[in-house]
Amino acid sequence: MANKSNGLETSDWARAPPPNRPFCERALKAIYDPDDNTFLGRTPKRWGIVFAFYGVFYAVLALMFAVCMAGLFSVLDDRKPTFILDSSLIGANPGVASRPRYVVFDAQNSTNFDAYINELQEFLQPYTKETWYMSKMKCTKDDNYGFPDSPCVFVKLNKIYSWMPEFFSATELPADMPEDLQEYIKVVSESERQKIWISCWDENKNTNETQIEYPWGRGLPGRFYPYLNQDGYLSPLLAVQITPPINTVVMIRCRAWAKNIIYNKSLKEPSGYVRLVMNIVDTTAVNSTDV
């Protein structure tokens, strides 16, 4: 009595054991057996069934993934994050940043000078058409951004969607605010107080030697907030011009002041300020500067 098994005709009689062949011949026969017309143990028909099954399976899987992603992107806002402020991972406490980044430059080395100027020019290029920036007289390309003796740094807040600063009034200034900043705030008009104030100091307490000036004023204008991912939005900047003592490494800390900016939240989460390291080295009659 004959029947079929795995596509091959067999009989009720047991097959004789395969002849003892050399290893290489047996290995080749395991890959392709011309007697049964099988490749790796499967006939072309069964290989076709396997490829058809997995082709349909992965096609359906890819289609399901595409549908899910299309549904997800259809409900996302291109401009507004799903979670903002306290609900977001970055929270509602903006960080403080500064430019330039750590750069070593020497007054006697034109290459280092060019690197310093080029970095600031690239960073400030988007601001060159802004009226408020064009009106500045110091810390610009015209005065080489204070190079070499009094380099300028530019302080700004990081962008947080929908964050709006809570401004200080003249009667509710915090006790730890520097006295010079308090006096500055008290004499300006009410409209001029709608700012995020910036104060910088030398952490090494070289108070009598380190000179810090604010040629653009003491605050970031409140009219730039909130940030809503508008086209062409530019974060406001504040220039800080620093003249450190010769041959002394100084650590400058710049802090942002607003009611809802938490300063130095914790050791694991420092916030509300940025630190700058400066060192002006005098190796010749003319000073050179490292920032």
Side-chain angles (χ1 to χ4, degrees), residues 91-177:
N93 195 49
V96 185
S98 65
R99 292 293 186 274
R101 298 182 179 89
Y102 181 78
V103 179
V104 177
F105 60 85
D106 189 324
Q108 303 304 303
N109 189 326
S110 60
T111 302
N112 290 334
F113 167 76
D114 291 339
Y116 169 74
I117 296 297
N118 291 339
E119 180 179 351
L120 285 181
Q121 280 186 311
E122 182 179 354
F123 172 66
L124 295 170
Q125 178 60 35
Y127 294 88
T128 54
K129 296 182 181 179
E130 298 293 322
T131 304
W132 62 269
Y133 175 81
M134 295 172 61
S135 64
K136 305 303 181 185
M137 304 301 294
K138 283 190 173 183
C139 293
T140 65
K141 179 182 177 182
D142 295 336
D143 65 352
N144 294 328
Y145 306 106
F147 180 89
D149 298 321
S150 302
C152 297
V153 295
F154 299 88
V155 178
K156 69 182 187 71
L157 294 189
N158 295 333
K159 299 173 184 175
I160 293 185
Y161 188 92
S162 195
W163 181 82
M164 184 69 186
E166 298 176 8
F167 305 110
F168 288 113
S169 68
T171 58
E172 56 181 0
L173 300 178
D176 58 340
M177 180 179 283

Coordinates of all heavy atoms in Angstrom, one line a residue, residues 91-177:
G91 N 10.5 70.0 33.2 CA 10.0 70.8 34.3 C 9.7 72.3 33.9 O 9.7 72.6 32.7
A92 N 9.5 73.1 34.9 CA 9.1 74.5 34.6 C 10.2 75.5 35.2 O 9.9 76.7 35.4 CB 7.8 74.8 35.3
N93 N 11.4 75.0 35.4 CA 12.5 75.8 35.9 C 13.5 76.0 34.8 O 14.3 75.0 34.6 CB 13.1 75.2 37.2 CG 13.9 76.2 37.9 OD1 13.5 77.4 38.2 ND2 15.1 75.8 38.3
P94 N 13.6 77.1 34.1 CA 14.5 77.2 33.0 C 16.0 77.2 33.5 O 16.3 77.8 34.5 CB 14.1 78.6 32.4 CG 13.5 79.3 33.5 CD 12.8 78.3 34.3
G95 N 16.8 76.6 32.7 CA 18.2 76.6 32.9 C 18.8 77.9 32.3 O 18.2 78.6 31.5
V96 N 20.1 78.2 32.7 CA 20.8 79.4 32.3 C 22.0 78.9 31.5 O 22.7 78.0 31.9 CB 21.2 80.3 33.4 CG1 21.8 81.6 32.9 CG2 20.0 80.6 34.3
A97 N 22.2 79.6 30.3 CA 23.3 79.2 29.5 C 24.1 80.4 29.1 O 23.7 81.6 29.3 CB 22.8 78.5 28.2
S98 N 25.3 80.2 28.6 CA 26.2 81.4 28.2 C 27.0 81.0 26.9 O 27.2 79.8 26.6 CB 27.1 81.7 29.3 OG 28.0 80.7 29.6
R99 N 27.4 82.0 26.2 CA 28.3 81.9 25.1 C 29.3 83.0 25.2 O 29.0 84.1 25.7 CB 27.5 82.1 23.8 CG 26.5 80.9 23.5 CD 27.3 79.6 23.2 NE 26.3 78.6 22.7 CZ 25.6 77.8 23.6 NH1 25.8 78.0 24.9 NH2 24.8 76.9 23.1
P100 N 30.6 82.8 24.8 CA 31.0 81.6 24.0 C 31.2 80.4 25.0 O 31.2 80.5 26.2 CB 32.3 82.0 23.4 CG 32.9 83.0 24.4 CD 31.7 83.7 24.9
R101 N 31.3 79.2 24.3 CA 31.7 78.0 25.1 C 33.1 78.1 25.5 O 33.8 79.1 25.2 CB 31.5 76.8 24.2 CG 30.0 76.5 23.8 CD 29.9 75.2 23.0 NE 28.5 75.0 22.6 CZ 28.0 75.4 21.5 NH1 28.7 76.1 20.7 NH2 26.7 75.1 21.2
Y102 N 33.6 77.1 26.2 CA 35.0 77.2 26.7 C 35.9 77.3 25.5 O 36.0 76.5 24.6 CB 35.3 75.9 27.5 CG 36.8 76.0 28.0 CD1 37.1 76.7 29.1 CD2 37.8 75.3 27.3 CE1 38.4 76.7 29.6 CE2 39.1 75.3 27.8 CZ 39.4 76.0 29.0 OH 40.6 76.1 29.4
V103 N 36.6 78.5 25.4 CA 37.5 78.8 24.3 C 38.8 79.3 24.9 O 38.8 80.1 25.8 CB 36.9 79.8 23.4 CG1 37.9 80.2 22.3 CG2 35.6 79.4 22.8
V104 N 40.0 78.8 24.4 CA 41.3 79.3 24.8 C 41.8 80.2 23.7 O 41.8 79.9 22.5 CB 42.3 78.1 25.0 CG1 43.6 78.7 25.3 CG2 41.8 77.2 26.1
F105 N 42.0 81.5 24.1 CA 42.5 82.4 23.1 C 43.6 83.3 23.7 O 43.6 83.5 24.9 CB 41.4 83.3 22.5 CG 40.7 84.1 23.5 CD1 41.2 85.4 23.8 CD2 39.5 83.7 24.0 CE1 40.5 86.2 24.7 CE2 38.8 84.5 24.9 CZ 39.3 85.7 25.3
D106 N 44.5 83.7 22.9 CA 45.7 84.5 23.3 C 45.7 85.8 22.5 O 45.6 85.8 21.3 CB 46.9 83.6 23.1 CG 48.2 84.2 23.7 OD1 48.3 85.5 23.7 OD2 49.1 83.5 24.1
A107 N 45.9 86.9 23.2 CA 46.0 88.2 22.6 C 47.1 88.2 21.5 O 47.0 89.0 20.6 CB 46.2 89.3 23.6
Q108 N 48.1 87.4 21.7 CA 49.2 87.5 20.7 C 49.1 86.4 19.6 O 49.9 86.3 18.8 CB 50.6 87.2 21.5 CG 50.8 88.2 22.6 CD 50.8 89.6 22.1 OE1 51.5 90.0 21.2 NE2 49.9 90.4 22.7
N109 N 48.0 85.7 19.7 CA 47.8 84.6 18.7 C 46.6 84.9 17.9 O 45.5 84.8 18.4 CB 47.7 83.2 19.4 CG 47.7 82.1 18.5 OD1 47.2 82.2 17.4 ND2 48.3 81.0 18.9
S110 N 46.8 85.3 16.6 CA 45.7 85.7 15.8 C 44.7 84.5 15.5 O 43.5 84.7 15.3 CB 46.2 86.2 14.5 OG 47.0 85.3 13.8
T111 N 45.3 83.3 15.5 CA 44.4 82.1 15.3 C 43.4 81.9 16.4 O 42.2 81.7 16.1 CB 45.3 80.8 15.1 OG1 46.2 81.0 14.1 CG2 44.4 79.6 14.9
N112 N 43.8 82.0 17.6 CA 42.9 81.9 18.7 C 41.9 83.1 18.7 O 40.8 83.0 19.1 CB 43.7 81.9 20.0 CG 44.5 80.6 20.2 OD1 44.1 79.6 19.7 ND2 45.5 80.7 21.0
F113 N 42.4 84.3 18.4 CA 41.6 85.4 18.3 C 40.4 85.2 17.3 O 39.3 85.5 17.5 CB 42.4 86.7 17.9 CG 41.6 87.9 17.5 CD1 40.9 88.6 18.5 CD2 41.5 88.2 16.2 CE1 40.2 89.7 18.1 CE2 40.7 89.3 15.8 CZ 40.1 90.1 16.8
D114 N 40.8 84.7 16.1 CA 39.8 84.5 15.1 C 38.8 83.4 15.5 O 37.6 83.6 15.2 CB 40.5 84.0 13.8 CG 41.3 85.1 13.1 OD1 41.1 86.3 13.4 OD2 42.2 84.8 12.4
A115 N 39.2 82.4 16.2 CA 38.3 81.4 16.7 C 37.3 82.0 17.7 O 36.1 81.7 17.6 CB 39.1 80.2 17.4
Y116 N 37.7 82.9 18.6 CA 36.8 83.5 19.5 C 35.8 84.4 18.8 O 34.6 84.3 19.0 CB 37.7 84.3 20.5 CG 36.9 85.3 21.4 CD1 36.2 84.8 22.4 CD2 37.0 86.7 21.2 CE1 35.5 85.7 23.3 CE2 36.3 87.5 22.0 CZ 35.5 87.0 23.0 OH 34.9 87.9 23.8
I117 N 36.3 85.2 17.9 CA 35.4 86.1 17.1 C 34.5 85.4 16.3 O 33.3 85.6 16.2 CB 36.3 87.1 16.3 CG1 37.1 88.0 17.2 CG2 35.4 87.9 15.4 CD1 36.4 88.9 18.1
N118 N 35.0 84.3 15.6 CA 34.1 83.6 14.7 C 33.0 82.8 15.4 O 31.9 82.8 14.9 CB 34.9 82.6 13.9 CG 35.9 83.2 12.9 OD1 35.6 84.4 12.5 ND2 36.9 82.6 12.5
E119 N 33.3 82.3 16.6 CA 32.3 81.6 17.3 C 31.1 82.6 17.7 O 30.0 82.2 17.6 CB 32.8 80.9 18.6 CG 31.8 80.2 19.4 CD 32.3 79.5 20.6 OE1 33.6 79.4 20.7 OE2 31.5 79.0 21.4
L120 N 31.5 83.7 18.2 CA 30.5 84.7 18.6 C 29.8 85.3 17.4 O 28.5 85.5 17.5 CB 31.2 85.8 19.4 CG 31.6 85.5 20.8 CD1 32.2 86.7 21.5 CD2 30.4 85.0 21.6
Q121 N 30.4 85.5 16.3 CA 29.7 86.0 15.1 C 28.7 84.9 14.7 O 27.6 85.3 14.3 CB 30.8 86.3 14.0 CG 31.5 87.6 14.2 CD 32.4 87.9 13.0 OE1 33.1 87.0 12.6 NE2 32.2 89.1 12.4
E122 N 29.1 83.7 14.7 CA 28.1 82.6 14.3 C 26.9 82.6 15.2 O 25.8 82.4 14.8 CB 28.9 81.3 14.2 CG 28.0 80.2 13.7 CD 28.7 78.8 13.7 OE1 29.9 78.8 13.9 OE2 28.1 77.8 13.4
F123 N 27.2 82.7 16.5 CA 26.1 82.6 17.5 C 25.2 83.8 17.4 O 24.0 83.7 17.5 CB 26.7 82.5 18.9 CG 25.7 82.7 20.0 CD1 24.7 81.7 20.2 CD2 25.7 83.8 20.8 CE1 23.8 81.8 21.2 CE2 24.8 83.9 21.8 CZ 23.8 82.9 22.0
L124 N 25.8 85.0 17.1 CA 25.0 86.2 17.1 C 24.4 86.6 15.7 O 23.7 87.6 15.6 CB 25.8 87.4 17.6 CG 26.3 87.3 19.1 CD1 27.3 88.4 19.4 CD2 25.1 87.4 20.0
Q125 N 24.7 85.8 14.7 CA 24.3 86.1 13.4 C 22.8 86.3 13.3 O 22.3 87.2 12.6 CB 24.8 85.0 12.4 CG 24.3 85.2 11.0 CD 24.8 86.5 10.3 OE1 25.9 87.0 10.6 NE2 24.0 87.1 9.5
P126 N 22.0 85.4 13.9 CA 20.5 85.6 13.8 C 20.0 86.9 14.4 O 18.9 87.3 14.0 CB 19.9 84.4 14.5 CG 21.0 83.4 14.5 CD 22.3 84.2 14.6
Y127 N 20.8 87.5 15.3 CA 20.3 88.7 16.0 C 20.7 90.0 15.2 O 20.2 91.1 15.6 CB 21.0 88.8 17.4 CG 20.5 87.7 18.3 CD1 21.2 86.5 18.3 CD2 19.5 87.9 19.2 CE1 20.8 85.5 19.2 CE2 19.1 86.9 20.1 CZ 19.7 85.7 20.1 OH 19.3 84.7 20.9
T128 N 21.5 89.9 14.2 CA 22.0 91.1 13.5 C 20.9 92.0 12.9 O 21.1 93.1 12.6 CB 23.0 90.7 12.5 OG1 22.5 89.8 11.5 CG2 24.3 90.1 13.1
K129 N 19.7 91.4 12.6 CA 18.7 92.2 12.0 C 17.7 92.7 13.1 O 16.7 93.3 12.7 CB 17.9 91.3 11.0 CG 18.8 91.0 9.8 CD 18.1 90.2 8.7 CE 19.0 89.8 7.6 NZ 18.2 89.0 6.6
E130 N 17.9 92.4 14.3 CA 17.0 92.8 15.4 C 17.3 94.2 15.8 O 18.5 94.6 16.0 CB 17.1 91.9 16.6 CG 16.7 90.5 16.3 CD 15.2 90.3 16.0 OE1 14.4 91.0 16.7 OE2 14.9 89.5 15.2
T131 N 16.3 95.1 15.9 CA 16.5 96.5 16.2 C 17.2 96.7 17.6 O 18.2 97.5 17.7 CB 15.2 97.3 16.2 OG1 14.6 97.1 14.9 CG2 15.4 98.7 16.5
W132 N 16.8 95.9 18.6 CA 17.4 96.1 19.9 C 18.8 95.7 19.9 O 19.6 96.2 20.7 CB 16.6 95.2 20.9 CG 16.6 93.7 20.7 CD1 15.7 93.0 20.0 CD2 17.6 92.8 21.2 NE1 16.0 91.7 20.0 CE2 17.2 91.5 20.7 CE3 18.7 92.9 21.9 CZ2 17.9 90.4 21.0 CZ3 19.4 91.8 22.2 CH2 19.0 90.5 21.8
Y133 N 19.2 94.7 19.1 CA 20.6 94.3 19.0 C 21.5 95.3 18.3 O 22.6 95.7 18.7 CB 20.8 92.9 18.4 CG 22.2 92.5 18.2 CD1 22.9 91.9 19.2 CD2 22.8 92.7 16.9 CE1 24.2 91.6 19.0 CE2 24.1 92.3 16.7 CZ 24.8 91.7 17.8 OH 26.1 91.4 17.6
M134 N 20.9 95.9 17.2 CA 21.7 96.9 16.4 C 22.0 98.1 17.2 O 22.9 98.9 16.8 CB 20.9 97.2 15.1 CG 20.7 95.9 14.2 SD 19.6 96.3 12.8 CE 20.5 97.6 12.0
S135 N 21.2 98.4 18.2 CA 21.4 99.6 19.0 C 22.5 99.5 20.0 O 22.9 100.5 20.6 CB 20.1 100.0 19.7 OG 19.7 99.1 20.6
K136 N 23.0 98.3 20.2 CA 24.1 98.1 21.2 C 25.4 98.7 20.7 O 25.8 98.6 19.6 CB 24.2 96.7 21.6 CG 22.9 96.0 22.0 CD 22.3 96.7 23.2 CE 21.0 95.9 23.6 NZ 20.3 96.6 24.6
M137 N 26.1 99.3 21.7 CA 27.4 100.0 21.4 C 28.6 99.2 21.8 O 29.7 99.4 21.3 CB 27.4 101.4 22.0 CG 26.3 102.3 21.6 SD 26.2 102.5 19.8 CE 27.7 103.5 19.5
K138 N 28.4 98.4 22.9 CA 29.5 97.5 23.4 C 29.2 96.1 23.2 O 28.1 95.7 23.0 CB 29.7 97.8 24.9 CG 30.4 99.2 25.2 CD 30.8 99.2 26.6 CE 31.7 100.5 26.9 NZ 32.1 100.5 28.3
C139 N 30.3 95.3 23.4 CA 30.2 93.8 23.2 C 29.6 93.5 21.8 O 28.6 92.6 21.7 CB 29.3 93.2 24.3 SG 30.1 93.3 26.0
T140 N 30.1 94.1 20.8 CA 29.7 93.8 19.4 C 31.0 93.6 18.6 O 32.1 93.6 19.1 CB 28.9 95.0 18.8 OG1 29.8 96.2 18.8 CG2 27.7 95.4 19.7
K141 N 30.7 93.3 17.4 CA 31.9 93.0 16.5 C 32.8 94.3 16.4 O 34.0 94.1 16.2 CB 31.4 92.6 15.1 CG 32.4 92.4 14.1 CD 31.8 92.0 12.7 CE 32.9 91.8 11.7 NZ 32.4 91.5 10.3
D142 N 32.2 95.5 16.5 CA 33.0 96.7 16.3 C 34.0 96.9 17.4 O 35.1 97.5 17.2 CB 32.0 97.9 16.4 CG 31.1 97.9 15.2 OD1 31.4 97.3 14.1 OD2 30.0 98.5 15.3
D143 N 33.8 96.3 18.6 CA 34.8 96.4 19.7 C 35.4 95.1 20.0 O 36.0 94.8 21.1 CB 34.2 97.0 20.9 CG 33.1 96.2 21.6 OD1 32.7 95.2 21.0 OD2 32.7 96.5 22.7
N144 N 35.3 94.1 19.0 CA 35.9 92.8 19.1 C 35.4 92.0 20.3 O 36.1 91.2 20.9 CB 37.4 92.8 19.2 CG 38.0 93.3 17.8 OD1 37.4 93.1 16.8 ND2 39.1 94.1 17.9
Y145 N 34.1 92.3 20.7 CA 33.5 91.7 21.9 C 34.3 91.8 23.1 O 34.4 90.8 23.9 CB 33.2 90.2 21.5 CG 32.4 90.0 20.3 CD1 33.0 89.6 19.1 CD2 31.0 90.4 20.2 CE1 32.2 89.4 17.9 CE2 30.3 90.2 19.0 CZ 30.9 89.7 17.9 OH 30.2 89.6 16.7
G146 N 35.0 92.9 23.3 CA 35.8 93.1 24.5 C 37.2 92.5 24.5 O 37.9 92.6 25.4
F147 N 37.5 91.8 23.4 CA 38.8 91.1 23.4 C 40.0 92.2 23.3 O 39.8 93.2 22.6 CB 38.9 90.2 22.1 CG 40.2 89.5 21.9 CD1 40.3 88.2 22.5 CD2 41.2 90.0 21.2 CE1 41.5 87.5 22.3 CE2 42.4 89.4 21.0 CZ 42.5 88.1 21.6
P148 N 41.1 92.0 24.0 CA 41.5 90.8 24.8 C 41.3 91.0 26.3 O 41.2 90.0 27.0 CB 42.9 90.6 24.4 CG 43.4 92.0 24.3 CD 42.3 92.8 23.7
D149 N 41.3 92.2 26.8 CA 41.4 92.4 28.2 C 40.1 92.2 29.0 O 40.0 91.7 30.1 CB 41.9 93.8 28.5 CG 43.3 94.1 28.0 OD1 44.1 93.1 28.1 OD2 43.5 95.2 27.5
S150 N 38.9 92.5 28.3 CA 37.6 92.5 29.0 C 36.7 91.7 28.1 O 35.8 92.3 27.5 CB 37.1 93.9 29.3 OG 38.0 94.6 30.1
P151 N 36.8 90.4 28.0 CA 36.0 89.6 27.1 C 34.5 89.7 27.5 O 34.2 89.7 28.7 CB 36.5 88.2 27.1 CG 37.3 88.2 28.4 CD 37.8 89.5 28.7
C152 N 33.6 89.7 26.5 CA 32.2 89.6 26.8 C 31.6 88.2 26.7 O 32.1 87.4 25.9 CB 31.4 90.5 25.8 SG 31.9 92.3 25.8
V153 N 30.7 87.9 27.6 CA 30.0 86.7 27.5 C 28.5 87.0 27.4 O 28.1 88.1 27.8 CB 30.2 85.8 28.7 CG1 31.7 85.3 28.7 CG2 29.8 86.5 30.0
F154 N 27.7 86.1 26.8 CA 26.3 86.4 26.6 C 25.5 85.4 27.3 O 25.6 84.2 27.1 CB 26.0 86.4 25.1 CG 26.8 87.5 24.4 CD1 28.0 87.2 23.8 CD2 26.2 88.7 24.2 CE1 28.7 88.2 23.2 CE2 26.9 89.7 23.5 CZ 28.2 89.5 23.0
V155 N 24.6 85.9 28.2 CA 23.8 85.0 29.1 C 22.4 85.0 28.5 O 21.8 86.0 28.1 CB 23.8 85.5 30.5 CG1 22.9 84.6 31.4 CG2 25.2 85.5 31.0
K156 N 21.8 83.8 28.6 CA 20.4 83.6 28.1 C 19.7 82.5 28.9 O 20.4 81.7 29.6 CB 20.3 83.4 26.6 CG 20.8 82.0 26.2 CD 20.7 81.8 24.7 CE 21.0 80.4 24.2 NZ 20.0 79.5 24.6
L157 N 18.4 82.4 28.8 CA 17.7 81.3 29.4 C 17.4 80.3 28.4 O 17.2 80.6 27.2 CB 16.3 81.8 30.0 CG 16.4 82.7 31.2 CD1 15.0 82.9 31.8 CD2 17.3 82.2 32.3
N158 N 17.3 79.0 28.8 CA 16.9 78.0 27.9 C 15.4 78.0 27.6 O 14.7 78.5 28.5 CB 17.3 76.6 28.5 CG 18.8 76.4 28.6 OD1 19.5 77.0 27.9 ND2 19.2 75.6 29.6
K159 N 15.0 77.6 26.5 CA 13.6 77.7 26.1 C 12.8 76.6 26.8 O 13.1 75.4 26.8 CB 13.5 77.5 24.6 CG 14.2 78.6 23.7 CD 14.1 78.2 22.3 CE 14.9 79.2 21.4 NZ 15.0 78.8 20.0
I160 N 11.7 77.1 27.4 CA 10.7 76.2 27.9 C 9.3 76.6 27.4 O 8.9 77.8 27.7 CB 10.7 76.1 29.5 CG1 12.0 75.5 30.0 CG2 9.5 75.4 30.0 CD1 12.1 75.4 31.5
Y161 N 8.6 75.7 26.7 CA 7.4 76.1 26.1 C 6.4 76.6 27.1 O 6.1 76.0 28.2 CB 6.8 74.9 25.3 CG 5.6 75.3 24.5 CD1 5.8 75.6 23.2 CD2 4.3 75.3 25.0 CE1 4.7 76.0 22.4 CE2 3.2 75.6 24.3 CZ 3.4 75.9 22.9 OH 2.3 76.3 22.2
S162 N 5.8 77.8 26.8 CA 4.7 78.4 27.6 C 5.1 78.9 29.0 O 4.3 79.4 29.7 CB 3.5 77.4 27.8 OG 2.4 78.0 28.2
W163 N 6.4 78.9 29.3 CA 6.9 79.4 30.6 C 6.8 80.9 30.5 O 7.3 81.6 29.6 CB 8.3 78.9 30.9 CG 8.8 79.4 32.2 CD1 8.5 78.9 33.4 CD2 9.7 80.5 32.4 NE1 9.2 79.6 34.4 CE2 9.9 80.6 33.8 CE3 10.2 81.5 31.6 CZ2 10.7 81.6 34.4 CZ3 11.0 82.5 32.1 CH2 11.2 82.5 33.5
M164 N 6.3 81.5 31.6 CA 6.2 83.0 31.7 C 6.8 83.4 33.0 O 6.4 82.9 34.1 CB 4.7 83.4 31.6 CG 4.5 84.9 31.7 SD 5.1 85.7 30.1 CE 4.9 87.4 30.5
P165 N 7.7 84.3 33.0 CA 8.4 84.7 34.3 C 7.4 85.5 35.2 O 6.6 86.2 34.7 CB 9.6 85.6 33.8 CG 9.2 86.1 32.5 CD 8.3 85.0 31.8
E166 N 7.6 85.3 36.5 CA 6.9 86.1 37.4 C 7.9 87.2 37.9 O 8.9 86.9 38.6 CB 6.4 85.3 38.6 CG 5.4 84.2 38.1 CD 5.0 83.3 39.3 OE1 5.3 83.6 40.4 OE2 4.3 82.3 39.0
F167 N 7.6 88.4 37.7 CA 8.5 89.5 37.9 C 8.4 90.0 39.4 O 7.4 89.9 40.0 CB 8.2 90.7 37.0 CG 8.2 90.3 35.5 CD1 7.1 90.3 34.8 CD2 9.4 89.9 34.9 CE1 7.0 89.9 33.4 CE2 9.4 89.5 33.5 CZ 8.2 89.5 32.8
F168 N 9.6 90.5 39.8 CA 9.7 91.2 41.1 C 9.2 92.6 41.1 O 9.5 93.3 40.1 CB 11.1 91.1 41.7 CG 11.6 89.8 42.1 CD1 12.6 89.1 41.4 CD2 11.1 89.1 43.2 CE1 13.1 87.9 41.7 CE2 11.5 87.9 43.5 CZ 12.5 87.3 42.8
S169 N 8.5 93.0 42.1 CA 8.2 94.4 42.3 C 9.3 95.1 43.1 O 10.1 94.4 43.8 CB 6.8 94.6 42.9 OG 6.8 94.2 44.2
A170 N 9.3 96.4 43.2 CA 10.4 97.1 44.0 C 10.3 96.8 45.5 O 11.2 97.0 46.2 CB 10.3 98.6 43.7
T171 N 9.1 96.4 45.9 CA 8.9 96.2 47.4 C 9.0 94.8 47.8 O 8.9 94.5 49.0 CB 7.5 96.7 47.8 OG1 6.5 96.0 47.0 CG2 7.4 98.2 47.5
E172 N 9.3 93.8 46.9 CA 9.4 92.4 47.3 C 10.6 91.8 46.8 O 10.6 90.6 46.4 CB 8.1 91.7 46.8 CG 7.9 91.8 45.3 CD 6.7 91.1 44.8 OE1 6.0 90.5 45.7 OE2 6.4 91.1 43.6
L173 N 11.7 92.5 46.8 CA 13.0 92.0 46.3 C 13.5 91.0 47.4 O 13.5 91.3 48.6 CB 14.0 93.1 46.1 CG 13.6 94.1 45.0 CD1 14.6 95.2 44.9 CD2 13.3 93.5 43.7
P174 N 14.1 89.8 46.9 CA 14.5 88.9 47.9 C 15.8 89.4 48.7 O 16.6 90.2 48.2 CB 14.9 87.6 47.0 CG 15.1 88.2 45.7 CD 14.1 89.4 45.6
A175 N 15.9 88.9 49.9 CA 17.0 89.3 50.7 C 18.4 89.0 50.2 O 19.4 89.7 50.5 CB 16.8 88.8 52.2
D176 N 18.5 87.8 49.5 CA 19.8 87.4 49.0 C 20.2 88.0 47.7 O 21.2 87.7 47.1 CB 19.8 85.9 48.9 CG 18.8 85.3 48.0 OD1 17.8 86.0 47.7 OD2 18.9 84.2 47.5
M177 N 19.3 88.9 47.1 CA 19.7 89.6 45.9 C 20.8 90.6 46.2 O 20.7 91.4 47.2 CB 18.4 90.3 45.3 CG 18.7 91.1 44.0 SD 17.2 91.9 43.3 CE 16.4 90.5 42.6

